[in-house]
Structure formats: C-alpha cells, structure tokens
Amino acid sequence: KLPAEELDLFKKNYDKDLGQHEGTGMLLRMGRLDPKGTGSITPEEEEEFLRNMMTLADECLGFLSNCMIISTLALGIAIPLSLHEITNLDLESPALGGSGDGTVAIYENWFRPNAMHVVHILELLCLSYSIYRASNGILNALCLYSVLSIYLPDAESKLRFLVLRRDRLLVAFTLAVHSLEGLFCALPLCAAKFSPPASIVLAIPIIGFNHFFTTNILVKIANPAMLYQHKLARELYTAEELVEEDDIGDGVSVSPIKE
C-alpha cells in the first residue's frame, strides 16, 4: 500500500520485512496464483502454478550455485594470501627506480617498520573479513540448496519455505558480494609491503567496484527493479480491492491506484 516515493532499498519496509528483491519476488510469485483476486482457482490454474513453482525452485538452485562459486573463489584467494610469507623488500630494485645506489627518494620513508606493521594488520583484517563472509555464504547457500533439492518433497512445500525464509536468498547474495569487498580492500595493503606503485594502482579496483555498484547496480538495476515490483504488487492489491468492493455489492467502483 505504500507509495513508490516511500520505498527504499535499505529501509525496514523493503529490507527486513520483505527481504528486498528476492523476498518480494517470492511473494509476487505466490500472488500470481490468483492474479485477479477472485478468491478461487481452477484445477488448470493450480497445475500451471505448481509447475511454475518447480521452475522457480530450479532457478533458486542456480542462483545459490553462483553465490557458492563466488564465495568459494574468494575463499580460495583470501586464505593463501593471509598465510603467505611476507615478501622480502628490495629497495634497490629497478622496478622501484633503484640504480644500485639506493631507491628513489620518495620511497625512502615508505617502508617504515611501524607503518608496515599497521599495514600488515589491516591486510589481515580485510582478508579475515573476506574469509568470514565467504565461509558463511557457502554454508548458507549449501543449506538452502539442500532444503530445495532434497529435504522438501513437492512444489508447494518448497514455495512455502521460500516465502517463510524469503530473506535467506538476499543473505546469500550479500555474503558473496561482501567476500569480494574484503578481498579488494586487502589487495593494496598486500602490495604495500613490497611495491608502493602497486599499492597505489591496486586501489583502483576498490574505487571502481564501489562506483560501479553505486551508479550501475543500485541506480540502474536495483532501484528500477524495486519500483517495478512495487507496480506489480499494487496491481495485485488493486485487483483484490476491486473484488472486495464487488462482494459488498454497493456498486462502488475502485479506480486504479496511482503509482
């Protein structure tokens, strides 16, 4: 019933209550069982609906598989990086502008012991965060995969579970993204221990990732998808309201709710 201008990706009404795009999609699928709001369905409609729900369960399995792949790749990179020996520094390396007489003056104060100690701790914190989120993502997706593929016997039980735990698909997506974020944040810190230029340049993926996520994912995909889901939900709500008014029998017609 909320107007579109009151919706927000990260507010409670869409985030916690509905489970964002994933949870709202589950509810819209269920609403399609009776799109006209008549309160009854034919056997043919029920059969088609259950067939669509089996397709939905298969699509969720594919989605969870992709989330597990992303989290596994992040885990496979973060763990070796966190346990890898600290690279020996060569301040006279030609890559750092050295010519045998010492490194470039701008780098002379880069490799201070206290600073490198802090950098190493920050690197390990970022890698630990990536490992933590990736392992949680794998476990969450694996459990959901087991439920949808083995534990529940039919389309109706799978749909009921998806609606009941509609926030779990959002969690699977979020954990996979967070595992990548931690890895990207660790890259320039890891490079800072042996190459100042590499440390500076590898900050570009962090900036690019956040910029792309903000300007493309949120603005051009997530928000339009949310608004379109809102439009579909309002259409279902309008249909149900029309039926309720007809049942009253007062002859009052209900105009479509403005988006």
Side-chain angles (χ1 to χ4, degrees), residues 217-230:
I217 302 300
L218 293 182
V219 176
K220 297 182 179 180
I221 298 178
N223 276 323
M226 176 189 66
L227 294 175
Y228 190 65
Q229 285 182 327
H230 178 261

Side-chain angles (χ1 to χ4, degrees), residues 68-88:
M68 280 193 287
I69 291 173
I70 295 172
S71 297
T72 301
L73 290 174
L75 191 67
I77 296 172
I79 290 179
L81 281 178
S82 63
L83 299 177
H84 193 271
E85 64 179 358
I86 299 177
T87 305
N88 292 327

